[in-house]
Amino acid sequence: MTAAITMTSRTTAEHELAELQREHGAPLFALMLRLSDGDRQRAEDLVQETFVRAWQHPEALRADDFDSVRPWLLTVGRRLAIDARRARQARPAEVGDAVLESARVSADHAERSVATLDVREAVKTLTPEHREVLVQVYFRGASVAEAAAALGIPAGTVKSRAYYALRALRRVLPGYAADLR
């Protein structure tokens, strides 16, 4: 007997909720759409949450203090929208797909480490004279004149040794040829 009463009351509550939604759903959705700045998905979520609250508090809907439950529904929906807006403002802004697609991709540290090891091994294959010039000009950032003074050789020799050293590295490091121009 208890199951029949529970089933009947649940069915009655579902019918009342469906009637509430038919009667007040459109105005509630219009308000939620306005409060959510035109975001239909957010407005639908707020309407659904409002009806869940109505289902959880049937005593508020049966109060004889007012002629219609619409003011109660609109107030609950408005408060839910305010709470949702405050919650969004408390979190960092969400990043859309467009931002991610245009974001700069940084090189992987593993790839950079492998490249460094490859270059070190390739530099070891150079003659000591070519290696000295590359170390001065490319790794220490010295100008041609500074490298010439440090090595005690003419500037033209620094230029030609740098040229031939890079050419030798291009042969040893074919995958890095574009970086060595």
Side-chain angles (χ1 to χ4, degrees):
M1 186 76 175
T2 311
I5 293 171
T6 306
M7 185 62 115
T8 306
S9 65
R10 185 182 322 145
T11 307
T12 304
E14 288 174 2
H15 286 298
E16 288 175 358
L17 192 59
E19 179 62 33
L20 246 153
Q21 192 166 4
R22 274 192 298 276
E23 188 176 338
H24 305 289
L28 182 61
F29 179 73
L31 175 65
M32 296 303 105
L33 190 61
R34 201 168 62 242
L35 292 176
S36 61
D37 299 324
D39 185 345
R40 295 185 66 82
Q41 183 66 43
R42 191 169 290 142
E44 289 172 3
D45 289 345
L46 289 169
V47 168
Q48 182 177 5
E49 182 62 29
T50 303
F51 282 119
V52 166
R53 299 284 170 95
W55 179 70
Q56 291 172 338
H57 301 284
E59 70 279 358
L61 300 176
R62 291 191 181 88
D64 295 327
D65 297 343
F66 42 83
D67 297 331
S68 174
V69 295
R70 187 174 292 176
W72 185 87
L73 288 171
L74 295 176
T75 301
V76 169
R78 185 177 143 275
R79 288 180 180 162
L80 288 170
I82 290 169
D83 290 345
R85 182 178 299 256
R86 285 180 182 156
R88 278 192 315 279
Q89 289 174 345
R91 302 191 291 259
E94 296 177 3
V95 177
D97 292 340
V99 174
L100 291 177
E101 289 172 1
S102 65
R104 200 178 112 231
V105 177
S106 61
D108 185 15
H109 292 292
E111 289 177 19
R112 188 173 174 195
S113 297
V114 169
T116 301
L117 292 173
D118 288 346
V119 171
R120 279 187 185 169
E121 290 302 313
V123 169
K124 287 179 184 177
T125 64
L126 298 174
T127 64
E129 294 83 16
H130 288 141
R131 193 174 324 124
E132 287 175 341
V133 168
L134 282 186
V135 167
Q136 287 294 321
V137 175
Y138 288 98
F139 298 123
R140 292 192 179 144
S143 67
V144 173
E146 293 168 341
L151 296 172
I153 56 176
T157 305
V158 170
K159 289 180 184 179
S160 68
R161 284 184 185 174
Y163 171 80
Y164 287 110
L166 289 177
R167 194 166 127 187
L169 286 178
R170 276 190 210 105
R171 281 194 305 270
V172 177
L173 299 168
Y176 299 96
D179 297 337
L180 298 174
R181 292 185 195 266

